[in-house]
Amino acid sequence: MLENFKNLPYLRLVDKQKLTEASAIYFAVARDQVLYIGQAVNLRSRWLNHHRLPQLEAINRRCEIKLFWLNCLPIQLNELERLYIQYYCPTLNQSKVPQKKLLPSFQMLTLSLKKLNERVLVFGVCPDSERLPLKTIVIGYLANYTETRLATTLVRKSLQAVNRKPNSLFRWIEYDRLRNGARWLTRCNGIETRLIPWFEERIMHNPTMYRVMEEKRFGVWTSIPLNDYEAMRQDVKAMSFTERLELARNSEIGWQLFPLECGSQLKVVSGVELLCLTSEQLEVLLAKKPYIQEQHPGICAINEDPVPKLLF
């Protein structure tokens, strides 16, 4: 006659490291329901790296799982396991082990760019070369010199959040930490994306946009009533990025504060609309900043998505 599992010794799943090292038949039980039955020559070793452990740990977060065991000789394991499975008919013995699902790199790159899309400006794309072995997208994150540390910290937190996503091989690597900034890179389907600091233009955040809205709404007023100013601030906060961009483009001070952003075009990169320099803008910029060309040989403006979505 088979032994009732309730009469057997047990430990909680979280205490699995305390299990005996003897050979045994084991029972994973939650609320008196036998979920899984197996055998082990060394019970402790078996449960330190069990193929069902992630699945059972997920269940354990909702209801406590206990591990019961029946000591037996190794020669008895196969027969006793068969008999107990036949007797209790546990659910997990009749199901496949869930496979770990990897999130595609393309999906993770798209997620990254969505998090960054209001803080960055795409300079262009470089063909593979001796200096850059992979086709490389060059993206600058924006901040003027008074905001560099804050901007870098915000970007770092966004990328760290992406890196913490489970089940993905995709990673942003911080390959150069500067005094007030940093540089990151990642790779997706053989295409490299580099994120570099660009401290010569401010991002279109609230304080800078207040100045643009002031010009449009109040003109050259030297004094603005407090209530009117507060109403203006609330209107700016409620604006979408595209609305801010349109407002800046229709303002003289907007072109002074955000010359690159105002003159750039929205293009799709990895399925995300980002502001990208035009060919004319890039040509002028390279003439003023030749080091960009030296560091990114062959860089050219983006006309079509350099990381097109693959359908398969």
Side-chain angles (χ1 to χ4, degrees), residues 268-281:
V268 175
V269 178
S270 189
V272 181
E273 275 200 333
L274 298 175
L275 280 177
C276 300
L277 294 184
T278 64
S279 297
E280 294 77 13
Q281 282 183 305

Side-chain angles (χ1 to χ4, degrees), residues 85-116:
I85 290 174
Q86 185 178 18
Y87 181 70
Y88 283 108
C89 198
T91 297
L92 297 185
N93 285 90
Q94 305 166 58
S95 63
K96 293 182 179 180
V97 179
Q99 296 298 310
K100 187 176 181 180
K101 184 179 179 181
L102 287 176
L103 295 175
S105 296
F106 180 90
Q107 185 176 329
M108 297 298 289
L109 178 60
T110 300
L111 174 64
S112 304
L113 297 181
K114 283 181 178 179
K115 285 179 172 289
L116 298 170

Side-chain angles (χ1 to χ4, degrees), residues 11 16 18-24 42-45 69 71:
L11 285 171
K16 58 186 179 296
K18 298 178 183 178
L19 288 166
T20 177
E21 294 185 334
S23 59
N42 183 317
L43 188 60
R44 182 190 300 172
S45 296
W69 70 91
N71 291 324

Side-chain angles (χ1 to χ4, degrees), residues 12-274:
R12 298 180 305 162
L13 179 63
V14 294
D15 297 324
K16 58 186 179 296
Q17 69 278 4
K18 298 178 183 178
L19 288 166
T20 177
E21 294 185 334
S23 59
I25 300 296
Y26 56 82
F27 308 78
V29 179
R31 294 177 181 170
D32 291 336
Q33 296 185 57
V34 180
L35 303 180
Y36 187 77
I37 295 172
Q39 60 168 283
V41 175
N42 183 317
L43 188 60
R44 182 190 300 172
S45 296
R46 182 75 182 95
W47 274 98
L48 291 180
N49 191 28
H50 199 285
H51 65 291
R52 292 276 181 178
L53 189 56
Q55 187 180 21
L56 291 170
E57 285 178 333
I59 297 172
N60 191 61
R61 287 192 284 270
R62 299 190 296 273
C63 57
E64 186 178 62
I65 288 181
K66 297 176 181 178
L67 299 176
F68 293 77
W69 70 91
L70 171 68
N71 291 324
C72 63
L73 298 173
I75 196 172
Q76 299 175 294
L77 289 173
N78 289 337
E79 181 63 14
L80 284 175
E81 180 187 41
R82 183 187 67 79
L83 291 173
Y84 275 110
I85 290 174
Q86 185 178 18
Y87 181 70
Y88 283 108
C89 198
T91 297
L92 297 185
N93 285 90
Q94 305 166 58
S95 63
K96 293 182 179 180
V97 179
Q99 296 298 310
K100 187 176 181 180
K101 184 179 179 181
L102 287 176
L103 295 175
S105 296
F106 180 90
Q107 185 176 329
M108 297 298 289
L109 178 60
T110 300
L111 174 64
S112 304
L113 297 181
K114 283 181 178 179
K115 285 179 172 289
L116 298 170
N117 70 340
E118 295 183 10
R119 299 182 174 277
V120 299
L121 184 65
V122 181
F123 288 177
V125 60
C126 310
D128 55 281
S129 63
E130 186 175 341
R131 185 182 180 94
L132 298 173
L134 297 176
K135 178 181 177 181
T136 302
I137 305 165
V138 183
I139 303 177
Y141 68 90
L142 305 175
N144 75 354
Y145 289 102
T146 63
E147 302 166 331
T148 54
R149 290 189 179 180
L150 175 61
T152 301
T153 299
L154 292 174
V155 170
R156 182 177 287 118
K157 286 182 177 179
S158 294
L159 299 184
Q160 286 174 345
V162 172
N163 284 349
R164 283 195 295 269
K165 292 287 183 182
N167 305 343
S168 177
L169 303 177
F170 180 90
R171 288 292 181 271
W172 282 97
I173 301 168
E174 188 171 339
Y175 69 93
D176 191 10
R177 182 170 288 202
L178 310 172
R179 180 182 175 186
N180 292 322
R183 295 187 178 98
W184 290 268
L185 66 80
T186 190
R187 289 171 184 151
C188 171
N189 298 346
I191 299 173
E192 187 167 284
T193 301
R194 295 197 174 199
L195 187 61
I196 63 174
W198 185 253
F199 298 146
E200 300 192 24
E201 182 162 342
R202 305 183 75 173
I203 188 172
M204 289 184 182
H205 59 17
N206 291 341
T208 49
M209 288 305 299
Y210 295 156
R211 294 179 60 189
V212 179
M213 182 68 91
E214 279 179 36
E215 181 190 81
K216 178 183 178 182
R217 189 167 293 186
F218 304 109
V220 294
W221 285 19
T222 55
S223 178
I224 303 171
L226 183 60
N227 290 342
D228 291 345
Y229 186 77
E230 184 58 33
M232 179 203 73
R233 284 164 53 96
Q234 296 305 317
D235 289 344
V236 169
K237 290 178 181 179
M239 294 174 73
S240 67
F241 178 71
T242 52
E243 289 172 333
R244 292 179 183 217
L245 181 61
E246 190 63 28
L247 177 63
R249 283 174 170 170
N250 292 324
S251 163
E252 183 178 341
I253 193 172
W255 280 89
Q256 293 173 4
L257 291 171
F258 320 111
L260 290 181
E261 288 180 283
C262 285
S264 59
Q265 297 179 343
L266 284 170
K267 297 283 186 180
V268 175
V269 178
S270 189
V272 181
E273 275 200 333
L274 298 175

